[in-house]
Amino acid sequence: MLRAMVIYGVVSGVLVILAMLAGIISGGNASFFASEYFGYLIMLIGMSMIFVGIKRHRDIELGGVIHFLPAFGMGLGIAAIAAVMYVAVWEAYLASTDFRFIHDYTAGLIEAKQADGADARTMAAFAAEMEELKASYAKPLQRLPMTFMEIFPVGFTISLISAALLRNPKILPAR
């Protein structure tokens, strides 16, 4: 099972990373590729390898039957491997751009708040909040778990759903 977790975790991580890099290269901040919706869609597609990995393990290695907890554990393992890969590549990207992301991100949020017509007091409070975010993002012990938690809940959810579905041998039975 460990071998399958590693294989499908790496495939899942590579899918997410390639799509993330394509979005970074092609888009900048103004494109659909830079949107949160696109990011989570890519995570969902990449994490679909959890379902594929559990199903293949159930059908090939276990003769078509798997219980919920082993399936869920396998899904979590795949999700964790993909998430660690995602964090590692994100850290490499941040280092290669001199951590420009957080400055661009907070500047974009401030501009959006101004465009919404926020008053001076609200803007001052929001700007201070963004400075706190920049300060916490500069600390690896805060940034790394924050980045991990961007993707892992998607994998957790897919693991839960996949384990619940695939514990039933009648759902997509082996041929």
Side-chain angles (χ1 to χ4, degrees):
M1 180 159 64
L2 181 61
R3 181 176 182 270
M5 284 189 329
V6 170
I7 290 169
Y8 286 97
V10 168
V11 169
S12 179
V14 166
L15 287 173
V16 172
I17 289 164
L18 288 177
M20 177 178 72
L21 292 175
I24 289 169
I25 291 168
S26 71
N29 292 334
S31 78
F32 174 70
F33 290 108
S35 75
E36 289 180 33
Y37 298 116
F38 180 75
Y40 281 105
L41 175 64
I42 292 305
M43 289 177 194
L44 186 64
I45 292 168
M47 290 292 185
S48 68
M49 288 292 106
I50 293 170
F51 184 87
V52 174
I54 294 171
K55 181 179 180 338
R56 185 178 186 292
H57 183 69
R58 176 194 76 174
D59 294 348
I60 308 261
E61 306 296 326
L62 301 177
V65 178
I66 193 168
H67 295 286
F68 177 81
L69 285 177
F72 185 57
M74 182 176 183
L76 290 178
I78 294 169
I81 290 167
V84 167
M85 290 176 63
Y86 174 80
V87 170
V89 170
W90 183 250
E91 283 298 307
Y93 169 73
L94 287 176
S96 71
T97 61
D98 198 29
F99 294 86
R100 186 183 70 227
F101 164 77
I102 194 64
H103 300 290
D104 293 346
Y105 179 72
T106 55
L109 291 175
I110 289 170
E111 287 175 19
K113 191 85 154 172
Q114 285 174 334
D116 287 343
D119 62 23
R121 181 185 293 184
T122 304
M123 284 308 302
F126 190 70
E129 189 179 317
M130 292 299 102
E131 287 303 315
E132 284 181 33
L133 177 61
K134 283 183 196 178
S136 68
Y137 204 76
K139 300 173 186 169
L141 289 178
Q142 291 181 354
R143 182 180 62 251
L144 294 173
M146 199 183 312
T147 306
F148 186 85
M149 289 308 293
E150 287 175 12
I151 190 169
F152 189 74
V154 175
F156 180 88
T157 304
I158 292 175
S159 297
L160 194 60
I161 293 167
S162 298
L165 291 173
L166 292 173
R167 69 187 170 94
N168 183 347
K170 293 178 184 174
I171 293 182
L172 298 172
R175 295 182 191 198

